[in-house]
Amino acid sequence: MRIGLKLNLVFLTLALLIAIIGYIYFNTSQNPGNYLVIISLLAAILAFAVGFSISHSISKSIKKLKNSADKISKGFLEGQIDVKGRDEIAELAQALEYMRYSLKMVIEEYEKKLKQAEKIEKSEEKPIPEKQISKKSKSKIAI
């Protein structure tokens, strides 16, 4: 089950509990007044609204991190991962950003060394011009 849905269910349950407690109190007390029912319903609505907004913000952050991880897994290392906040999700985003940057640096270093190796290999493959071969080396080759 998705985290946003779980949080919504938790806060909805909390809201219903508050409403039920208010209803029970209203029906069992001698002189409760209508304000108790109104307060209970407002508390239930407030709990649901707060729960929905919290779960939406958490789900949104997790979806962004999932999309970033998907891009990294496909080799796209150019874009930065936005890190906002100081909670655990922000720490996860920071770790993912560090991983992306480290992978990018390792790949760039590998490509640089590969180009250097190819350059050295090409220079070794070139035949030595006839003028550079001395008479002594010709005689050694002939023997």
Side-chain angles (χ1 to χ4, degrees):
M1 189 181 284
R2 294 179 182 246
I3 191 167
L5 184 59
K6 285 182 182 179
L7 284 173
N8 277 337
L9 289 175
V10 167
F11 284 107
L12 180 60
T13 305
L14 178 65
L16 288 173
L17 277 173
I18 292 171
I20 291 170
I21 290 170
Y23 179 77
I24 292 171
Y25 182 77
F26 175 72
N27 285 336
T28 58
S29 66
Q30 297 294 335
N31 189 12
N34 288 336
Y35 70 92
L36 187 60
V37 173
I38 294 171
I39 289 174
S40 297
L41 290 175
L42 288 175
I45 292 169
L46 180 66
F48 181 73
V50 168
F52 183 77
S53 67
I54 289 172
S55 67
H56 179 69
S57 68
I58 291 172
S59 296
K60 185 177 166 185
S61 298
I62 291 174
K63 283 179 187 176
K64 280 184 178 180
L65 289 177
K66 182 203 170 287
N67 290 338
S68 296
D70 286 343
K71 286 180 181 179
I72 291 170
S73 71
K74 292 175 184 170
F76 181 75
L77 303 173
E78 295 305 316
Q80 283 191 325
I81 299 169
D82 293 332
V83 180
K84 295 178 183 175
R86 293 184 176 200
D87 59 356
E88 290 83 2
I89 294 175
E91 289 177 11
L92 178 62
Q94 197 171 28
L96 197 60
E97 169 59 23
Y98 181 72
M99 181 186 73
R100 181 204 63 82
Y101 179 77
S102 297
L103 282 171
K104 183 178 176 186
M105 292 298 109
V106 166
I107 290 171
E108 286 177 0
E109 185 66 25
Y110 173 78
E111 288 173 346
K112 183 179 174 184
K113 288 183 179 181
L114 184 63
K115 285 180 184 178
Q116 289 174 348
E118 288 173 349
K119 201 177 205 182
I120 291 171
E121 187 178 306
K122 284 182 182 179
S123 68
E124 289 176 354
E125 289 177 358
K126 290 182 183 176
I128 301 173
E130 190 69 36
K131 293 178 183 177
Q132 291 180 356
I133 299 177
S134 66
K135 290 182 183 178
K136 290 181 183 177
S137 60
K138 280 186 182 180
S139 62
K140 288 181 184 176
I141 294 173
I143 297 176

